[in-house]
Every structure is written in structure tokens, then in C-alpha cells.
Amino acid sequence: MFKSVFSRMLAAFTVILLLCITLLVFVVASGLFQESQEKELSELGVAANEIGFFLEEMQRISTLPAPLLLQSESFHSNLIGIADLTEADISVLRMDGVVAATSTRHLKIGEQMLSRETVNRILENDASYMISDLDGALERRTLNSFAIIGDENGDAVYLIVVTSEKALNSEIANSVTQRMVVVAIWIFFAAMIIIFLISRRITDSIKTLCSVAREYAQGRFNIRIKVNGQDEITELSRAFNNMASGLAKLEENRNSFIANVSHDLRTPMTTISGFVDGILDGTIPPEDHQRYLQTISAEVHRLSRLVNTLLEISRLESGKSMKTADFNVTETARQILISLMGKIEAKRLDIEFEGGDEDVYVLADPDAIHQVLYNLIDNAIKFTQEKGTITIAITAKGKKALVRVRNTGEGIPEEEITHIFERFYKSDRSRGLDKTGTGLGLYIVKTILEKHGEEISVESVVGAYTEFRFGLSLSAGKPRSKGGDLMD
């Protein structure tokens, strides 16, 4: 019955609303009846005291005994007047419970109204009889108030009993309660309509999100949720739309990645397969075998580099953290330059090492930063014209080590700068200059630096130069120069 979120919400809100309205009506009605009873009891007490006071005054100014005074026309008129004014029944009883005077017609003087035991209990604790049928003396429970008239010695002689059903059947309290019930019913229905609309909106949004999530699971990321409002459901819808955009971009990158990998694998494999078949079937003469085998070897090395690069990307994207340590980043750059000296001399390049006489220590992953510097310097060598200049600068500033790799050359067009860190991206210029590259070097550089919480920037002027810049955290307590002096 309550399988859906909507039905559960509606049922829960209905129960809560009913409980709240019922409790409100009960509390208000109880308060009204209690207040009405307390007010009526107060009026009954005043009436009883007035009767007692009037009888005592008559005894003080008259020589007649009390039984005769109770029978007098004056006392009876006063008794009837007060009874009518308070809308109550008033009776004066002897201590044995016999009626000495009364305002009611169904009681007669000399009639036994209460038993002596009941009178004694009233004298002991009249509060227990404030709402009572006086031990069966009355047909129903009424509000009761009492007053005692004593003799000269202070002994109780008469008991004044005032009874009323007015507060127990308060018309005002009943009317207010009925009105509250009617209003509560209208409030209940109005609240149910509002709750229905709100619950329906929430559950409809949830259903839409579920439907869209199923579409995303099928790979259809072009579907978007209409966003309208500023509540949590709206924020969740925006998050779904952003997730869809991210997934669509990821899917596009994945397809592009597969296509690029397939292309980069297919080209050397086709070359290798063609040359090997030519050697085996005799198409290529024996005197050319050496030359073609060298080509095959070059293509195999190219495949090896591509596979190693892909493995490195997989490792970086797997979420594994960097193994940081304190090391000399300046010395790392020197070693890389030495390892690339053959390429540098082949193109007769001029190397400028700014800050090369000072050692800068950083806190980072030594192997990863080695790869970053190697990729950047190797790229600089590839894209620098013969007899060009490569500048490497490593300096300490504040809490950062600033690294710059700059090379002269054709530069990078402005429209291509935003794409050079993408996987497999190779500009038209680089395709002509770099025959062995995979288009993954700068992507790896950017990924490694992001793992370190750093960013890399590039500045280039076409026909002049290209410069890459990034920062690393300086190691704490390590010397920044060969002399051991710390730089600010």
C-alpha cells in the first residue's frame, strides 16, 4: 500500500497533521472547560458565603431562633434571588443532612438530602465533592460549593450546599469547541492539498532524476533536466546536468583516446607487418634487408614508447598518490641535460642555465618531477631551430621553487595553446617537426603537476619563443644553495 515515496510522505504528513489538530482542539477545549468550571466554582462559593453572611446578620439583629429565621419570608426571598442570579440550586442543611431551607422545588423542608456520613466527609474535605453527585443525592454530577454556619462556640450548625450544572454544560465552551473543530477540518483539507502538491513535486522530481539516471546508464548523456528554482532538488538537478556534461566529455575523450591509440598502434604495426612479409616472401632483396630491419626496429621502439607512456598515464589516473621526498631539483635538471647532450650537440643548441650554480631543494616525487623536466626539455630541443637557444631557470622565491623552460623557435599559435595539454593533441607544426612523439608528453606533465597541487602555464609568441612555467614546494630545513645559505 505504501510502496512509493509519495504515498509514504502523504500518509506520514496526514497522521502528523491529524495528531496536531486533535491535540490542539483537545488542549483548547480542556482549557476552556477548566476555566469555565473554575469561574463557576468561584461564583458558587460567593453565593454560598452570601447566604451564610445574610443568615448570620439576621441572627445578630433578630431575637428569633435560627430555624424560624430560615423559615422567614425575608430569608427565603433572598435565597431565591441569589439562586436565580447564579443559576444554581441552594439548600441549607442541618448537620444530620436534613433540609432546613431550599430554593429548589423538588426538595422539601425536613427532607433528608444527605446522610450524616456525607456531611461529615464534606466538612473534612469539601474539595473532593466540588464535582460530584454528593454520594447519590443528585441525579447527575454537578459543580458544588459549600459554606458552614457555626454557633457562638464555633461548632458547625448548618451546611450551605450550592449546586450547578451550568459549567459542566458550558454553552460558550461547547460553541468554541465546535467552531474550532470546523476550522480544524478546513485547515486539515487545505493543508492536505498543500502537502499533496509539495509531495507530488518532490516525488516527481525524484522520478525524473531516476529516469534520467537510467538514460545515463544506457550511455545517452545528451538528456538534460529542466532546472527551475533554488531548493535542494534544483541543486541536485544541476549536479545531474553537470555530471552528464562531464560524462559526455569523458565519453568523447574515451572514444578519441581509443581512436588515437588505435591509429598510433596501427601505423607502426602495418609498417612492421609489410616489411616482414616483404622479407619473408622475397619481395625485398637480401641486400636491402639491413635497411628495412632498421626501420622495423625503429617502429618497435616507437610501439614500446607508446605502450610505456600509456602505462604511465594509467598509473597517474588510477589515483595513486605521489611519493614525496626532499631532493635537489637543480641537480635533476643538470642530469637531464647531460642525458640529452647528444641531441643538443646535433642541433648545435645554446643552453642557458639560470641559477645553475645554486641548488634548490623541493618536496615532491623525484621520479615524477624528473619525467616532467625531461618531457619539457626534450620538447624544447625538438622544437628549437638549429643554433637556437634553450633557457632553463630554477629559482627559489618565498615558499616555492619556480621552474621555467624556454626555447626559441616558431612558437605556438594562440588558438592551440588551450589544447596542447590534451591527450594525443599534436599541432600541425609539431606533426612536421616531431615524427616520434605520441602527443601525450604534455598531458603527463600537467597530470603529474596537478597531483602535486600545482599548475603549469605556457607563454608563446609565434616566430619568437615558447616558455613553460610551474612551481614546486620548497623543502623545509634544506639548504637552497651550495653554500648552505637560505634564500628569502
Side-chain angles (χ1 to χ4, degrees):
M1 181 179 180
F2 300 110
K3 293 182 179 180
S4 66
V5 174
F6 174 74
S7 60
R8 292 175 185 174
M9 289 179 62
L10 199 60
F13 284 134
T14 302
V15 172
I16 293 172
L17 190 60
L18 283 174
L19 288 176
C20 292
I21 291 177
T22 302
L23 182 62
L24 178 63
V25 172
F26 174 77
V27 170
V28 173
S30 298
L32 286 173
F33 277 109
Q34 184 176 359
E35 184 178 353
S36 178
Q37 288 177 0
E38 290 175 354
K39 181 180 179 180
E40 183 65 16
L41 282 171
S42 177
E43 292 178 357
L44 296 181
V46 171
N49 290 329
E50 285 182 355
I51 294 297
F53 178 77
F54 182 70
L55 179 58
E56 289 175 351
E57 285 295 310
M58 289 183 69
Q59 288 178 324
R60 188 175 60 81
I61 63 177
S62 176
T63 58
L64 295 174
L68 293 179
L69 291 175
L70 292 173
Q71 303 287 327
S72 67
E73 182 67 25
S74 174
F75 181 81
H76 184 71
S77 298
N78 185 270
L79 183 67
I80 295 297
I82 293 176
D84 291 342
L85 184 65
T86 57
E87 298 182 19
D89 295 330
I90 303 176
S91 300
V92 181
L93 308 181
R94 299 200 308 254
M95 289 299 99
D96 57 1
V98 175
V99 177
T102 183
S103 66
T104 63
R105 296 180 179 179
H106 62 275
L107 285 177
K108 295 180 180 180
I109 297 174
E111 184 179 343
Q112 187 80 32
M113 179 180 177
L114 301 178
S115 65
R116 184 177 294 274
E117 290 77 9
T118 299
V119 172
N120 291 333
R121 284 195 289 269
I122 291 173
L123 294 177
E124 293 174 359
N125 183 16
D126 62 351
S128 61
Y129 283 91
M130 284 185 177
I131 301 178
S132 168
D133 62 356
L134 301 178
D135 294 338
L138 304 176
E139 295 181 355
R140 61 182 65 86
R141 286 159 56 87
T142 61
L143 286 177
N144 309 306
S145 186
F146 310 95
I148 299 172
I149 300 175
D151 57 12
E152 297 176 353
N153 298 323
D155 295 329
V157 178
Y158 294 104
L159 175 66
I160 300 174
V161 179
V162 184
T163 64
S164 175
E165 298 181 4
K166 181 174 146 183
L168 292 179
N169 299 284
S170 174
E171 293 181 1
I172 296 176
N174 289 333
S175 175
V176 171
T177 302
Q178 290 174 2
R179 289 174 182 269
M180 283 193 63
V181 170
V182 173
V183 172
I185 292 173
W186 281 107
I187 292 175
F188 173 77
F189 283 112
M192 286 304 300
I193 293 173
I194 296 173
I195 291 171
F196 177 86
L197 295 176
I198 294 175
S199 301
R200 176 61 69 185
R201 180 182 182 277
I202 294 174
T203 53
D204 285 349
S205 299
I206 294 174
K207 288 180 180 178
T208 301
L209 292 173
C210 291
S211 176
V212 171
R214 284 192 290 268
E215 294 294 328
Y216 294 165
Q218 299 297 322
R220 292 185 282 271
F221 303 119
N222 60 323
I223 299 174
R224 295 292 182 272
I225 303 171
K226 292 182 179 179
V227 177
N228 185 18
Q230 296 295 330
D231 56 14
E232 289 80 359
I233 295 293
T234 303
E235 290 299 318
L236 182 59
S237 299
R238 287 196 182 98
F240 260 68
N241 289 339
N242 294 335
M243 180 184 69
S245 300
L247 289 173
K249 182 65 176 177
L250 184 63
E251 181 68 12
E252 180 183 348
N253 291 339
R254 185 181 69 86
N255 292 333
S256 175
F257 180 80
I258 293 174
N260 288 324
V261 170
S262 300
H263 177 269
D264 280 15
L265 288 174
R266 184 172 59 248
T267 301
M269 290 178 67
T270 302
T271 302
I272 293 170
S273 176
F275 290 162
V276 170
D277 289 342
I279 292 173
L280 292 176
D281 62 17
T283 304
I284 298 175
E287 60 271 16
D288 293 333
H289 284 185
Q290 182 66 27
R291 180 164 59 89
Y292 284 103
L293 286 175
Q294 289 176 348
T295 303
I296 292 172
S297 176
E299 292 296 328
V300 169
H301 283 90
R302 179 182 172 189
L303 282 175
S304 178
R305 286 194 303 271
L306 177 59
V307 171
N308 289 334
T309 303
L310 293 176
L311 290 174
E312 179 64 20
I313 289 176
S314 177
R315 185 184 71 83
L316 291 173
E317 293 182 343
S318 65
K320 293 182 179 179
S321 59
M322 299 284 104
K323 297 179 181 179
T324 59
D326 294 327
F327 70 97
N328 187 343
V329 69
T330 308
E331 182 62 25
T332 300
R334 292 194 195 101
Q335 292 174 359
I336 292 172
L337 285 173
I338 293 172
S339 67
L340 295 172
M341 193 56 66
K343 294 182 179 180
I344 294 172
E345 292 178 347
K347 298 183 73 171
R348 293 177 291 176
L349 302 178
D350 184 18
I351 303 297
E352 295 180 357
F353 203 142
E354 296 180 7
D357 294 335
E358 296 179 345
D359 290 342
V360 178
Y361 286 81
V362 296
L363 180 62
D365 188 315
D367 293 334
I369 299 304
H370 182 282
Q371 186 170 7
V372 168
L373 288 172
Y374 185 92
N375 287 354
L376 292 177
I377 296 173
D378 187 50
N379 270 0
I381 294 172
K382 289 176 183 177
F383 300 115
T384 303
Q385 76 279 19
E386 287 193 12
K387 299 182 181 181
T389 302
I390 295 176
T391 302
I392 300 171
I394 301 176
T395 57
K397 185 176 182 180
K399 296 182 179 180
K400 290 286 186 180
L402 303 180
V403 181
R404 296 185 296 116
V405 178
R406 179 184 181 121
N407 68 279
T408 58
E410 295 185 8
I412 304 172
E414 185 177 354
E415 64 273 11
E416 294 184 2
I417 287 180
T418 57
H419 302 289
I420 60 175
F421 294 106
E422 297 176 2
R423 287 184 296 189
F424 291 105
Y425 182 81
K426 295 177 72 175
S427 67
D428 294 336
R429 180 181 64 91
S430 67
R431 293 182 189 278
L433 296 175
D434 182 15
K435 303 295 185 180
T436 61
T438 61
L440 294 171
L442 290 180
Y443 172 77
I444 293 175
V445 167
K446 181 174 181 290
T447 304
I448 290 175
L449 290 175
E450 286 178 347
K451 291 279 187 179
H452 284 81
E454 304 290 348
E455 294 182 355
I456 185 169
S457 61
V458 58
E459 179 182 319
S460 183
V461 176
V462 176
Y465 70 90
T466 299
E467 180 176 294
F468 291 88
R469 295 184 295 267
F470 65 92
L472 293 172
S473 297
L474 289 172
S475 60
K478 289 290 184 179
R480 301 183 193 174
S481 67
K482 289 182 178 180
D485 297 331
L486 291 177
M487 298 177 62
D488 293 333

